Amino acid sequence: MSDNKFDITKEVRQHEKRYTIILVVLFIFIILFAAYWILSIDNKELKTINKTVNYRYSSISSSYQAITLTNNDILYDKDGLNTNKLSIHIENTTDTKYDYKIVLKKDKATTKSCGCENDLEDYKYIKYSLDGKEVLKLDKDMVIYKGSLKKDESKDILINIWLDMSLRVYNYHYHGYFSIEKINQD
């Protein structure tokens, strides 16, 4: 009986490399299969999942161009209506209706780096149009537009913006941007 045990260990030692390779390959396949089984998602299960989305971090998103108005933008109204339009894209990714306003705000960083803090003039010289026909003037709140978006709705707003001909400031500069602000809803 002890001869049989000796013969088995002798044979195992002779084929040790082969057994090691077979065991390594077997364990790799077991690990890959287990990883695939754990990490894969069945498409049938995806269809049965309720399509609720967590809107905790959702909000209004927008994209727009920065505004720089100088003496070159002092125009008659008919010329101002024909200027290049600025585009504002607004998208509501919340799960409710969103009332908002678009406000023209001063870009303090650009104004400071330009060195034109003293060349700024009042809002009353800024004119704009939303439809290319009606000429509008800013009020002290600097509100350009008010509107609302339903859930998952988006909107593109085109704006012509220029300076009134009555502006008499040499080397006038206005640097700004559009800010989308929520209107208080009760």
Side-chain angles (χ1 to χ4, degrees):
M1 185 123 169
S2 70
D3 280 342
N4 279 345
K5 283 186 178 180
F6 182 71
D7 290 337
I8 291 173
T9 56
K10 185 178 179 184
E11 189 172 321
V12 168
R13 284 187 182 160
Q14 287 176 347
H15 302 292
E16 187 175 355
K17 280 186 177 179
R18 183 184 313 165
Y19 294 138
T20 304
I21 291 172
I22 290 171
L23 286 174
V24 167
V25 169
L26 180 66
F27 283 121
I28 288 175
F29 278 119
I30 290 172
I31 291 170
L32 289 175
F33 176 75
Y36 175 78
W37 185 72
I38 290 170
L39 299 175
S40 68
I41 298 173
D42 187 7
N43 284 338
K44 293 173 191 167
E45 289 180 33
L46 287 177
K47 290 177 184 174
T48 61
I49 294 175
N50 191 0
K51 294 184 178 183
T52 58
V53 177
N54 182 3
Y55 285 97
R56 181 176 171 192
Y57 299 106
S58 300
S59 64
I60 287 285
S61 63
S62 63
S63 61
Y64 48 83
Q65 300 163 322
I67 304 293
T68 299
L69 297 171
T70 64
N71 286 40
N72 295 335
D73 298 302
I74 298 174
L75 302 170
Y76 291 105
D77 290 344
K78 72 174 186 136
D79 296 327
L81 292 170
N82 293 319
T83 60
N84 290 336
K85 294 184 182 305
L86 300 174
S87 175
I88 301 173
H89 178 77
I90 307 167
E91 189 171 349
N92 181 2
T93 58
T94 66
D95 57 353
T96 60
K97 180 181 163 191
Y98 196 97
D99 294 327
Y100 65 93
K101 61 184 175 182
I102 301 173
V103 180
L104 181 60
K105 296 211 170 186
K106 287 182 186 177
D107 186 346
K108 294 177 184 175
T110 304
T111 301
K112 188 173 183 174
S113 67
C114 178
C116 60
E117 295 102 337
N118 298 330
D119 297 330
L120 294 176
E121 189 59 34
D122 203 10
Y123 61 87
K124 61 186 172 186
Y125 295 106
I126 299 175
K127 290 186 171 183
Y128 67 100
S129 177
L130 298 171
D131 59 5
K133 297 174 185 165
E134 183 181 1
V135 176
L136 304 167
K137 283 186 133 183
L138 284 175
D139 60 9
K140 65 179 180 175
D141 296 329
M142 304 288 279
V143 175
I144 297 277
Y145 182 81
K146 289 182 182 179
S148 65
L149 291 174
K150 296 175 186 168
K151 171 185 169 183
D152 296 325
E153 186 179 16
S154 64
K155 182 173 184 110
D156 290 306
I157 298 170
L158 300 175
I159 297 175
N160 299 86
I161 192 163
W162 68 96
L163 296 170
D164 191 2
M165 285 299 292
S166 64
L167 177 65
R168 300 288 180 236
V169 176
Y170 176 73
N171 201 21
Y172 175 84
H173 283 199
Y174 179 87
H175 301 284
Y177 61 93
F178 296 111
S179 174
I180 311 301
E181 298 178 2
K182 186 173 185 174
I183 297 174
N184 293 337
Q185 298 170 332
D186 295 330

